[in-house]
Amino acid sequence: MDEFDIERVADPDLDEPVLVEGLPGVGHVGKLAAEHLLEELESELVRRVYSTHFPPQVSIDDGQAQLACAEFHAVTPEEGQDLIVLSGDHQAQNNQGHYGLTDTFLDIADEFGVQRVFALGGVPTGELIEEYDVLGATTTEEFKETLEESGVAFREDEPAGGIVGVSGLLLGLSKRRDVPASCLMGETSGYLVDPKSAQAVLEILQDVIGFEVDYSSLEDRADEMEEVVRKIQEMEQQNSPSPADEDLRYIG
């Protein structure tokens, strides 16, 4: 197998689509968002990308094996722009792979005439949160103004340390290709899978692009995660020392 191997599945006729990337990352925010789009909107698998830089494994679905890969789906919603959604279960395992895969992804986007790129992800806060802001980074001032109008926050020096992985490289390499790109990052604790953060990101994307999507299944998953958080908090409280225990340790 080649270092980067593209399987051509279909070649639909799309009208100036935008690329939406949602690969695994902090809180699985981008991955959840991309998967929700594919679940709720009619889509068609158009490309698979295999690489020796992915983990050496297969996934199993109803007994059938599938080599690790990234997938591109074409989405043609009734309202808003056409989409090419990039999803998958893995990112590259090294720097060379990250660069090579991102270049391959952008080559495929170019084949379909992609006009703008949206990378979706999460930014960790280190604590549980109630209100989910969406932070942004972009390659053009015009793109920044558009996103600010939709409620995206641009904060100096955030996220700290920049954006790593495919999401970051999509911005950097898209800029070198003169393709406007942005990264939408939902705030998340970083401890658990975060459907609420994914919904916050999708609501921004929905406002910018114009598609219509139902969030019921994401909200149900968010309720399940809140129940998990509640149980964790109860366990922590049960295991925390009482004031008397603290006094005894102090005296001893």
Side-chain angles (χ1 to χ4, degrees), residues 4 6 19 21 23 48-50 54 69-72 84 86-87 90-92 97-112 114 166 170 177:
F4 306 104
I6 301 173
L19 175 65
E21 172 266 328
L23 294 174
R48 284 194 179 99
V49 178
Y50 302 94
F54 282 140
C69 66
E71 295 183 338
F72 286 80
I84 293 287
L86 167 58
S87 62
H90 308 283
Q91 293 217 30
H98 278 302
Y99 275 92
L101 277 168
T102 306
D103 255 335
T104 302
F105 296 156
L106 288 173
D107 287 343
I108 293 172
D110 186 58
E111 285 183 35
F112 286 103
V114 162
V166 169
L170 279 174
R177 294 176 180 232

Side-chain angles (χ1 to χ4, degrees), residues 19-229:
L19 175 65
V20 177
E21 172 266 328
L23 294 174
V26 178
H28 270 10
V29 174
K31 178 176 169 61
L32 282 175
E35 289 177 347
H36 189 71
L37 282 177
L38 296 177
E39 289 168 2
E40 296 295 325
L41 300 176
E42 185 175 344
S43 64
E44 178 183 15
L45 178 65
V46 295
R47 296 287 188 277
R48 284 194 179 99
V49 178
Y50 302 94
S51 175
T52 53
H53 295 282
F54 282 140
Q57 68 184 74
V58 298
S59 59
I60 305 297
D61 183 13
D62 195 26
Q64 298 293 312
Q66 171 63 52
L67 184 64
C69 66
E71 295 183 338
F72 286 80
H73 286 80
V75 178
T76 53
E78 294 182 0
E79 298 182 16
Q81 290 181 262
D82 290 348
L83 313 175
I84 293 287
V85 179
L86 167 58
S87 62
D89 293 329
H90 308 283
Q91 293 217 30
Q93 296 183 297
N94 54 52
N95 293 343
Q96 180 184 353
H98 278 302
Y99 275 92
L101 277 168
T102 306
D103 255 335
T104 302
F105 296 156
L106 288 173
D107 287 343
I108 293 172
D110 186 58
E111 285 183 35
F112 286 103
V114 162
Q115 301 295 300
R116 290 187 294 174
V117 173
F118 291 89
L120 310 183
V123 57
T125 64
E127 59 186 7
L128 298 176
I129 54 180
E130 295 294 331
E131 298 295 328
Y132 287 80
D133 287 339
V134 176
L135 277 60
T138 185
T139 60
T140 70
E141 187 62 31
E142 181 181 1
F143 214 164
K144 179 180 178 182
E145 292 173 0
T146 298
L147 296 176
E148 284 179 324
E149 291 173 358
S150 295
V152 177
F154 289 85
R155 300 174 184 169
E156 187 175 357
D157 299 326
E158 286 196 41
I163 306 170
V164 300
V166 169
S167 290
L169 288 179
L170 279 174
L171 269 67
L173 296 180
S174 291
K175 186 172 184 177
R176 291 179 61 85
R177 294 176 180 232
D178 293 323
V179 177
S182 69
C183 186
L184 302 178
M185 298 163 281
E187 287 188 324
T188 178
S189 67
Y191 302 138
L192 300 167
V193 174
D194 199 333
K196 280 191 172 182
S197 185
Q199 180 173 339
V201 168
L202 276 179
E203 287 173 346
I204 294 290
L205 189 65
Q206 176 178 345
D207 188 63
V208 175
I209 296 178
F211 58 80
E212 291 292 333
V213 67
D214 183 78
Y215 293 107
S216 298
S217 61
L218 266 185
E219 290 167 352
D220 289 342
R221 294 188 68 173
D223 291 340
E224 293 172 1
M225 292 309 301
E226 285 185 348
E227 180 64 17
V228 171
V229 170

